[in-house]
C-alpha cells in the first residue's frame, strides 16, 4: 500500500508539473509584436527587413517554444508617437503580445518602453538609438540591443578627433534621437579637447537642408556632423557635395549611417565617410552566411538593425525556454543571465540597465576603386571593445543600477 501511495503521489506530481508547464505560456501562444516604420523615411532601416529578420529567427528556433506556437503581429507606427502608443496598447491589451520588437524612432521607443513596464510585458529595441533608453529612462522591462548614441559618438567622434578635426558644427534632427546623439557626441568632442562652434536643429520630416548646410559651411568648422538618419541624412550628404562643403576643406561625419544609406548615396558621394556600426555583413564567415540567407528573402544586405532583431529574438525565445515560462519578470531575469554568442555578438551580455554590451566597429566607406562589387562598402578602422563602447555603469543615471 505504501508503494502504491508513493507511486500515486509521484503520478499526481507529474500531472501537476505538466499542467503548470502548459499554463506557464500565457494564452497558449508566445506572441511577438513588430512595431516599426513600414512606409516612412526610416522604413529602409526597419520595416520589412525587421519583420523578415524576426520571422527568420522564429523559423530557425523551430516555430514553437515550450510546446506552444510563436506568432508575429506587425503594425506601422508612421513615426507618430500617439499612433505608436495606441498600437502598443492594442498589442499588449487586445492582441496579448508578450514582447514588442524593433521600435525604430527614439521618441516612440521611449514611450513604449515605459508602457512595457506599466503592463509588465517586454520591449526589445533595435531600431532606435537614444542612450536615454538605458540611462535616465531605463526600465526593468526593456532592452536596448544593437547600438546607442553613446557608442556612435564614442566611435565616430573619437576617430575624427584623433585625425585632428577639432572644431564641430551639428546639423541635428529635432527629436529625441537627434538630441541624444548631439549631446553624447558633444561630450566626446569636449573630452578630447575639441570645440563645438554651433548647431542647427531641423524638423525630422524636412527634405531640403540647403539653408542649414549653408550655416554649417559659413561656420568654418572642420567637421559638419549630421546627427540624424533616414532619407534626410542621404539628402544632406548629396546637398553637401553640391555646395562644395568637402571641397572647401570641411569633413562630413555621419553619426548614424546605415548600409542602405550608402547604397542610396553611391560610393562616389559616400566615399571617405567615417561611421560606427554594430554589424557588417562581410565581417567574417558567420556574418556572410547569415546575410546571404537574409538577402535571399529581402533582396538587400542586412544592417545592424536587421541582425539585432534576429539575434535579440533568438535570445528572447532562448530565455523563455530556460525560464520555463513567458512571464516577463522571469524571462527578463534569464535574458540578463544568459550570454549572447552568435554571428551578431560574441560574449554579449545584458546589464541591469537593459544595455546589451558587445563590441562596436568603426568603419570607413571605400572609394569606388576599392570596392569589389555591390554591397562591398566598408573597410575596418577600429574595433571598440564592448566594455569601452557603452556608457559605464558608474556614470549611469538609471535607477536600476546599484552604486556603492
Amino acid at each position: 500500500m505504501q508503494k502504491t501511495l508513493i507511486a500515486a503521489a509521484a503520478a499526481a506530481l507529474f500531472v501537476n508539473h505538466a499542467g503548470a508547464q502548459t499554463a506557464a505560456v500565457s494564452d497558449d501562444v508566445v506572441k511577438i509584436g513588430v512595431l516599426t516604420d513600414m512606409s516612412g523615411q526610416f522604413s529602409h532601416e526597419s520595416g520589412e527587413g525587421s519583420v523578415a529578420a524576426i520571422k527568420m529567427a522564429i523559423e530557425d528556433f523551430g516555430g514553437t517554444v515550450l510546446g506552444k506556437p510563436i506568432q508575429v503581429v506587425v503594425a506601422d507606427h508612421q513615426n507618430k508617437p500617439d499612433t505608436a502608443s495606441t498600437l502598443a496598447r492594442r498589442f499588449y491589451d487586445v492582441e496579448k503580445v508578450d514582447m514588442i520588437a524593433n521600435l525604430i524612432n527614439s521618441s516612440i521607443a521611449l514611450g513604449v518602453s515605459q508602457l512595457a513596464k506599466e503592463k509588465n510585458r517586454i520591449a526589445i529595441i533595435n531600431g532606435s538609438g537614444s542612450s536615454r533608453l538605458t540611462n535616465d529612462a531605463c526600465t526593468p522591462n526593456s532592452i536596448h540591443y544593437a547600438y546607442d548614441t553613446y557608442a556612435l559618438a564614442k566611435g565616430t567622434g573619437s576617430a575624427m578627433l584623433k585625425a585632428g578635426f577639432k572644431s564641430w558644427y551639428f546639423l541635428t534632427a529635432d527629436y529625441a534621437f537627434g538630441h541624444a546623439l548631439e549631446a553624447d557626441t558633444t561630450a566626446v568632442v569636449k573630452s578630447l579637447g575639441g570645440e563645438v562652434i554651433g548647431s542647427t536643429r531641423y524638423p525630422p520630416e524636412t527634405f531640403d537642408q540647403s539653408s542649414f548646410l549653408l550655416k554649417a559651411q559659413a561656420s568654418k568648422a572642420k567637421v559638419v556632423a549630421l546627427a540624424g538618419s533616414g532619407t534626410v541624412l542621404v539628402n544632406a550628404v548629396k546637398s553637401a557635395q553640391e555646395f562644395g562643403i568637402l571641397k572647401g576643406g570641411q569633413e562630413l561625419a555621419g553619426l548614424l549611417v546605415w548600409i542602405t544609406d550608402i547604397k542610396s548615396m553611391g560610393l562616389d558621394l559616400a566615399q571617405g565617410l567615417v561611421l560606427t556600426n554594430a554589424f557588417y555583413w562581410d565581417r567574417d564567415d558567420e556574418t556572410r552566411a547569415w546575410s546571404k540567407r537574409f538577402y535571399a528573402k529581402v533582396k538587400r544586405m542586412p544592417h545592424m538593425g536587421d541582425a539585432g532583431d534576429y539575434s535579440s529574438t533568438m535570445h528572447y525565445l532562448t530565455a523563455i525556454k530556460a525560464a520555463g515560462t513567458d512571464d516577463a519578470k522571469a524571462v527578463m531575469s534569464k535574458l540578463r543571465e544568459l550570454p549572447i554568442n552568435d554571428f551578431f555578438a560574441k560574449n554579449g551580455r545584458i546589464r541591469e540597465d537593459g544595455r546589451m554590451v558587445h563590441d562596436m566597429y568603426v568603419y570607413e566607406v571605400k572609394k569606388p576603386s576599392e570596392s569589389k562589387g555591390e554591397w562591398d562598402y566598408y573597410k575596418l578602422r577600429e574595433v571598440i571593445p564592448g566594455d569601452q563602447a557603452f556608457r559605464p555603469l558608474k556614470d549611469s543615471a538609471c535607477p536600476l543600477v546599484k552604486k556603492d
Side-chain angles (χ1 to χ4, degrees):
M1 183 177 291
Q2 187 178 26
K3 289 181 179 179
T4 302
L5 288 172
I6 291 171
L13 182 62
F14 175 80
V15 170
N16 288 338
H17 176 74
Q21 183 81 324
T22 301
V25 175
S26 57
D27 308 301
D28 289 330
V29 62
V30 171
K31 192 172 287 189
I32 297 172
V34 187
L35 189 54
T36 187
D37 178 3
M38 297 294 292
S39 56
Q41 67 161 309
F42 304 127
S43 57
H44 293 296
E45 290 82 52
S46 55
E48 294 293 348
S50 174
V51 175
I54 288 168
K55 287 183 175 179
M56 282 176 66
I58 293 169
E59 181 181 342
D60 289 350
F61 198 82
T64 65
V65 59
L66 300 178
K68 300 299 179 183
I70 306 162
Q71 296 179 1
V72 175
V73 293
V74 180
D76 183 355
H77 58 49
Q78 302 173 48
N79 292 306
K80 298 175 182 177
D82 289 346
T83 299
S85 177
T86 299
L87 290 169
R89 287 183 181 277
R90 191 193 77 196
F91 271 3
Y92 286 145
D93 294 340
V94 180
E95 302 277 358
K96 304 302 181 183
V97 163
D98 298 290
M99 184 270 281
I100 295 181
N102 189 257
L103 293 168
I104 198 163
N105 188 316
S106 290
S107 300
I108 287 168
L110 287 161
V112 174
S113 62
Q114 295 298 322
L115 184 62
K117 176 184 176 182
E118 175 189 327
K119 300 293 184 180
N120 192 31
R121 304 293 175 82
I122 292 174
I124 300 182
I125 301 135
N126 274 294
S128 302
S130 174
S131 63
R132 288 192 60 212
L133 287 159
T134 53
N135 198 33
D136 62 299
C138 72
T139 84
N141 293 71
S142 56
I143 292 169
H144 204 184
Y145 203 85
Y147 74 101
D148 67 20
T149 52
Y150 184 96
L152 298 179
K154 182 78 176 289
T156 305
S158 297
M160 299 297 284
L161 268 293
K162 288 176 184 176
F165 302 112
K166 300 286 187 179
S167 57
W168 289 59
Y169 191 97
F170 286 92
L171 291 183
T172 302
D174 193 12
Y175 71 119
F177 167 75
H179 300 170
L181 191 49
E182 179 183 337
D184 285 336
T185 308
T186 295
V188 170
V189 169
K190 291 183 176 179
S191 72
L192 295 175
E195 63 174 333
V196 175
I197 293 178
S199 66
T200 298
R201 291 184 173 178
Y202 62 85
E205 67 276 4
T206 188
F207 286 94
D208 183 5
Q209 289 194 321
S210 301
S211 61
F212 309 133
L213 284 164
L214 289 172
K215 288 181 181 179
Q217 190 174 36
S219 75
K220 304 298 182 182
K222 284 296 183 181
V223 179
V224 177
L226 305 175
S229 66
T231 52
V232 176
L233 178 135
V234 174
N235 291 336
V237 173
K238 291 178 179 178
S239 297
Q241 292 283 15
E242 293 171 3
F243 292 151
I245 285 179
L246 296 177
K247 290 180 181 178
Q250 293 174 295
E251 296 287 328
L252 280 182
L255 298 178
L256 174 58
V257 180
W258 305 83
I259 198 168
T260 46
D261 296 334
I262 305 300
K263 176 70 172 176
S264 297
M265 295 178 207
L267 290 182
D268 282 336
L269 287 180
Q271 60 181 306
L273 269 178
V274 175
L275 58 99
T276 303
N277 219 287
F279 175 83
Y280 180 43
W281 73 269
D282 201 21
R283 190 174 72 214
D284 56 40
D285 289 343
E286 282 187 278
T287 58
R288 283 187 285 272
W290 183 82
S291 297
K292 287 177 182 177
R293 291 178 55 216
F294 180 90
Y295 184 92
K297 293 180 179 292
V298 185
K299 305 308 177 188
R300 66 163 172 81
M301 282 300 179
H303 48 58
M304 63 179 169
D306 304 318
D309 278 322
Y310 177 97
S311 175
S312 59
T313 301
M314 287 291 283
H315 190 55
Y316 171 68
L317 296 174
T318 300
I320 291 176
K321 183 177 179 180
T325 177
D326 63 354
D327 173 74
K329 185 175 180 180
V331 173
M332 285 297 300
S333 178
K334 287 296 180 182
L335 283 165
R336 296 188 188 96
E337 176 186 325
L338 298 172
I340 299 155
N341 284 292
D342 58 14
F343 70 90
F344 179 77
K346 300 300 180 190
N347 300 314
R349 60 185 178 87
I350 296 171
R351 301 188 310 201
E352 56 264 47
D353 61 349
R355 176 66 257 166
M356 203 282 263
V357 176
H358 53 85
D359 293 349
M360 294 289 289
Y361 305 86
V362 181
Y363 292 104
E364 181 180 331
V365 178
K366 291 181 176 181
K367 299 175 182 177
S369 60
E370 296 173 316
S371 176
K372 297 177 182 178
E374 190 177 28
W375 300 103
D376 178 26
Y377 294 157
Y378 298 161
K379 51 187 178 184
L380 183 65
R381 287 180 55 146
E382 184 181 354
V383 178
I384 308 174
D387 60 356
Q388 299 175 28
F390 298 97
R391 190 189 311 276
L393 287 178
K394 67 180 180 63
D395 298 332
S396 177
C398 172
L400 302 173
V401 176
K402 296 178 181 179
K403 296 184 179 181
D404 295 334

